[in-house]
Amino acid sequence: MSISAFKKIKEIGSAWLDTLSGAEQPKMYYDPQGSSSAVLEKLPQLQQKYRPTPWLSNTHAHLLYFDVVKKRRIQLEYDRIDQLTMQDGGVTAVAWYGLDLPAETPTIVVLHTITGNLASMRELVRDLHQYTGWRIALCLRRGHADLPLPVPKMSLFGSTSDLQEQVAYIQQQFPDSCLYAVGSSAGTGLLVRYLGEQGLETPFKAAFALCPGYNTELGFDDIHPFYSKVMTKKLFKTFIHPYVQTWQPVASLPKVLAVKTLAEFEKSYFEMAGFKDYVSYTQAINPIHVFENVKIPLMVLNSEDDPVCHIKNFEPYKSLIQRMDNVIVVTTKKGSHCGFYEGFTQTRSWAAKLMADYLKLHTD
């Protein structure tokens, strides 16, 4: 067989595999007149096709692999876990990885998923550390990772006041370290809300939001029914049943326990989040209300086949994002929810490399 014939067969095989797996070049939404064009030119990963692992081309198989299989295979021990007492007596924590690095090494603050814990975030912590060589500070919210819950207060999307205290603690530990931020799934709600409230006052130099739902008041409306029911039961198991004595004073607890879906949970649990009604809750929590005040560089990544944070959630904000010179939204055809695996036998996160390369572009 001639070399040219071999190349032709290889090209045909590659094209067939791309079609089978749904490989496509990512789409990008940004202000072409702003600074984002120069940033994108330095990210060759976005100029090539994202080729998802062929046997994970189905969105449900991809999510199952991410959430059940891959998480159990990651071996990582955190250097230290510091429990923090908030001003109202509530308890959060910061889990560290890379504590032995020089004091001036940058630190990535990671904000976890809706029921995230130390084990579920190991892969992202490991990957970000490997790709950047930087220190990682995983900020654990109230009730996560079996933390004590002395105060009857929790939030699906976290509290910006808690995050402010956690960030202040991180800065106190490493005052010479530049800070960056990554939010994953529900953690993106906290990240963007915090960035919008802080504006130019935030200590973060750049941030990355992985698979956001955008408007938290509507974000659960299009979630796949199966995941909605499963995740609702997981919320009960994680945040309510282990702390039943803590929640006794909350009058709306029986109503919350009666819900069946995430959308119903989000609409009914506002008292558990520390608010008198749903309106005051959403005004304080929803990142969309302050999104236009985000001033630092921010990249967002969504998959068009995400069964949890549906791509429909992005549609109302396309035109706004294309007028903001500091925000870039990237979408891929495949990737499911927070997975974005590539490779055949040695699967790895395409998204984690993109996060790391994007954040490294914003070093001095």
Side-chain angles (χ1 to χ4, degrees):
M1 182 183 293
S2 66
I3 294 177
S4 60
F6 178 78
K7 286 182 177 179
K8 186 65 176 178
I9 292 173
K10 186 177 179 181
E11 289 174 0
I12 293 172
S14 179
W16 177 80
L17 193 60
D18 281 356
T19 301
L20 180 67
S21 65
E24 279 190 6
Q25 186 172 333
K27 301 181 182 71
M28 287 159 277
Y29 303 86
Y30 61 95
D31 178 3
Q33 306 303 318
S35 59
S36 296
S37 295
V39 172
L40 292 171
E41 289 175 0
K42 298 176 183 178
L43 292 170
Q45 188 176 350
L46 294 178
Q47 314 310 320
Q48 304 164 5
K49 289 182 179 180
Y50 160 53
R51 292 181 167 85
T53 299
W55 48 275
L56 296 177
S57 60
N58 176 274
T59 183
H60 304 295
H62 204 128
L63 181 53
L64 181 68
Y65 180 76
F66 164 73
D67 198 48
V68 178
V69 179
K70 195 67 182 283
K71 286 179 181 179
R72 295 182 180 179
R73 294 180 177 177
I74 305 301
Q75 301 298 316
L76 178 142
E77 295 296 328
Y78 294 89
D79 296 329
R80 194 176 77 213
I81 301 166
D82 297 340
Q83 284 195 17
L84 309 178
T85 301
M86 303 290 95
Q87 290 184 359
D88 67 350
V91 176
T92 66
V94 176
W96 300 95
Y97 192 69
L99 275 179
D100 59 340
L101 293 169
E104 66 276 10
T105 303
T107 300
I108 302 176
V109 175
V110 175
L111 308 179
H112 56 68
T113 55
I114 194 167
T115 56
N117 54 42
L118 295 167
S120 71
M121 299 306 295
R122 281 176 180 153
E123 183 179 16
L124 183 57
V125 168
R126 182 203 64 181
D127 288 354
L128 289 174
H129 173 74
Q130 287 182 350
Y131 282 126
T132 62
W134 295 353
R135 182 184 302 106
I136 311 297
L138 171 63
C139 287
L140 295 163
R141 303 195 292 271
R142 301 180 187 218
H144 291 259
D146 298 321
L147 288 175
L149 194 70
V151 176
K153 184 178 180 181
M154 57 84 70
S155 176
L156 296 179
F157 307 104
S159 159
T160 55
S161 59
D162 283 355
L163 181 56
Q164 286 181 36
E165 292 189 55
Q166 290 174 313
V167 170
Y169 176 77
I170 293 167
Q171 289 180 299
Q172 182 184 45
Q173 299 299 303
F174 295 97
D176 297 324
S177 175
C178 291
L179 300 186
Y180 298 81
V182 168
S184 179
S185 191
T188 64
L190 177 58
L191 172 63
V192 175
R193 180 73 198 199
Y194 172 84
L195 294 179
E197 290 181 3
Q198 294 289 306
L200 291 173
E201 301 302 313
T202 175
F204 296 130
K205 294 174 66 67
F208 196 106
L210 176 65
C211 295
Y214 296 86
N215 187 335
T216 56
E217 297 167 47
L218 305 173
F220 293 136
D221 288 355
D222 291 302
I223 184 174
H224 190 284
F226 172 78
Y227 300 113
S228 180
K229 292 178 181 178
V230 168
M231 292 171 70
T232 301
K233 291 180 180 179
K234 194 171 182 179
L235 290 176
F236 294 157
K237 183 179 179 180
T238 304
F239 301 114
I240 299 180
H241 298 322
Y243 308 106
V244 63
Q245 294 302 318
T246 301
W247 295 119
Q248 286 303 316
V250 179
S252 58
L253 180 60
K255 180 180 178 181
V256 175
L257 288 171
V259 306
K260 302 295 183 183
T261 68
L262 276 179
E264 292 172 350
F265 192 104
E266 192 272 336
K267 294 291 189 296
S268 63
Y269 92 110
F270 54 83
E271 191 177 3
M272 299 175 70
F275 297 90
K276 63 179 181 179
D277 54 43
Y278 183 69
V279 173
S280 58
Y281 162 77
T282 58
Q283 287 300 311
I285 296 294
N286 195 337
I288 286 301
H289 296 319
V290 296
F291 181 67
E292 291 184 71
N293 197 43
V294 175
K295 300 301 181 185
I296 67 166
L298 171 67
M299 179 171 279
V300 180
L301 175 62
N302 285 101
S303 172
E304 294 172 9
D305 72 339
D306 190 331
V308 177
C309 291
H310 201 284
I311 195 65
K312 287 182 182 178
N313 296 330
F314 169 49
E315 290 296 327
Y317 309 104
K318 279 184 179 179
S319 60
L320 169 61
I321 284 162
Q322 289 169 317
R323 298 193 303 270
M324 297 177 69
D325 65 2
N326 59 312
V327 179
I328 301 170
V329 173
V330 178
T331 66
T332 57
K333 182 179 180 180
K334 297 285 186 175
S336 194
H337 185 65
C338 298
F340 297 95
Y341 289 109
E342 62 180 354
F344 194 84
T345 56
Q346 297 295 321
T347 57
R348 56 196 178 274
S349 170
W350 178 90
K353 185 177 188 305
L354 179 62
M355 292 180 211
D357 289 348
Y358 176 75
L359 296 180
K360 287 190 292 184
L361 287 177
H362 296 91
T363 56
D364 292 332

